[in-house]
Amino acid sequence: MDATAIRQHYQNVKDTIDSAMESTEGLDVKGEDENEFLEEARKQIGKINDDFKKEIDALEQSAEWDKFCIAFFGETNAGKSTLIDTLRICYDEQSRLESVLSNKKECNDLLERHSAEMEKSIKALEDIRRMASQATKQMKTLKIRAVVSFLLGILIGAILGIVVPTVINLWG
């Protein structure tokens, strides 16, 4: 915020107070007590207005820099950075806007890059699932073949155990 903007803010505050004073002048109240109360309120607001204007004038005259600077200090996690970021956003600070836009672009770039990587990862996981399914089917087939081979071996052994002695007895 430069010196011109600071002066404009000071003037805006003065104008707001003047406007509040003017709005009390158009009030129409009935009764002596109400009129006395309104007049007393006007005097108090007028005094506050005068004191405040003097303070603003003193601040304006004692400004040492062209830019308005504020220092924040306090305990950790007290919200200093949040307050500073909020002020930067409220006053449309150009460097903050550029930072936000840069961060947004960076986030979009990361999202785009990682989206492609995630798609590749998902495809790889689907391939692994498909291969695991095929391996399971092959294992079942191998188990069936092993059982069939085992049963054929028993059958052949039984046949040989019955047929060979019978043939030997027949020839012998």
Side-chain angles (χ1 to χ4, degrees):
M1 182 180 299
D2 63 11
T4 305
I6 294 169
R7 284 188 193 93
Q8 184 59 47
H9 282 291
Y10 287 144
Q11 188 58 47
N12 289 344
V13 171
K14 290 178 185 177
D15 292 344
T16 302
I17 295 171
D18 286 340
S19 175
M21 284 294 295
E22 289 172 8
S23 67
T24 64
E25 292 175 16
L27 293 176
D28 183 29
V29 293
K30 295 181 181 173
E32 191 174 315
D33 290 341
E34 289 82 4
N35 277 323
E36 287 177 18
F37 177 79
L38 182 59
E39 194 56 41
E40 183 60 33
R42 284 183 184 146
K43 286 178 186 177
Q44 288 179 3
I45 292 174
K47 183 177 179 344
I48 292 170
N49 187 13
D50 292 341
D51 291 345
F52 194 72
K53 283 183 179 181
K54 288 176 188 173
E55 287 292 325
I56 289 176
D57 289 339
L59 284 173
E60 196 173 7
Q61 291 172 1
S62 66
E64 295 181 20
W65 300 295
D66 288 337
K67 289 194 173 221
F68 190 64
C69 297
I70 301 174
F72 291 91
F73 63 94
E75 294 183 26
T76 303
N77 266 346
K80 298 176 296 292
S81 295
T82 302
L83 178 62
I84 291 167
D85 283 341
T86 302
L87 289 171
R88 293 174 75 187
I89 291 168
C90 288
Y91 287 102
D92 293 328
E93 182 187 21
Q94 189 61 34
S95 64
R96 174 68 177 153
L97 180 61
E98 290 168 3
S99 173
V100 168
L101 292 176
S102 173
N103 288 343
K104 184 177 179 181
K105 182 184 180 317
E106 187 175 322
C107 287
N108 287 337
D109 291 347
L110 285 172
L111 180 63
E112 187 177 312
R113 185 169 67 234
H114 289 295
S115 292
E117 291 173 5
M118 287 297 291
E119 287 178 22
K120 289 178 186 176
S121 298
I122 290 170
K123 187 176 182 315
L125 288 171
E126 288 173 348
D127 291 344
I128 291 170
R129 186 189 56 78
R130 190 177 62 255
M131 289 187 301
S133 176
Q134 290 173 349
T136 302
K137 288 178 186 175
Q138 289 175 352
M139 290 296 288
K140 287 179 184 176
T141 302
L142 288 176
K143 285 180 184 178
I144 292 171
R145 286 182 183 169
V147 169
V148 169
S149 296
F150 177 73
L151 292 174
L152 281 174
I154 292 174
L155 185 60
I156 290 171
I159 291 173
L160 290 176
I162 295 173
V163 172
V164 171
T166 304
V167 171
I168 290 177
N169 283 339
L170 289 176
W171 282 351

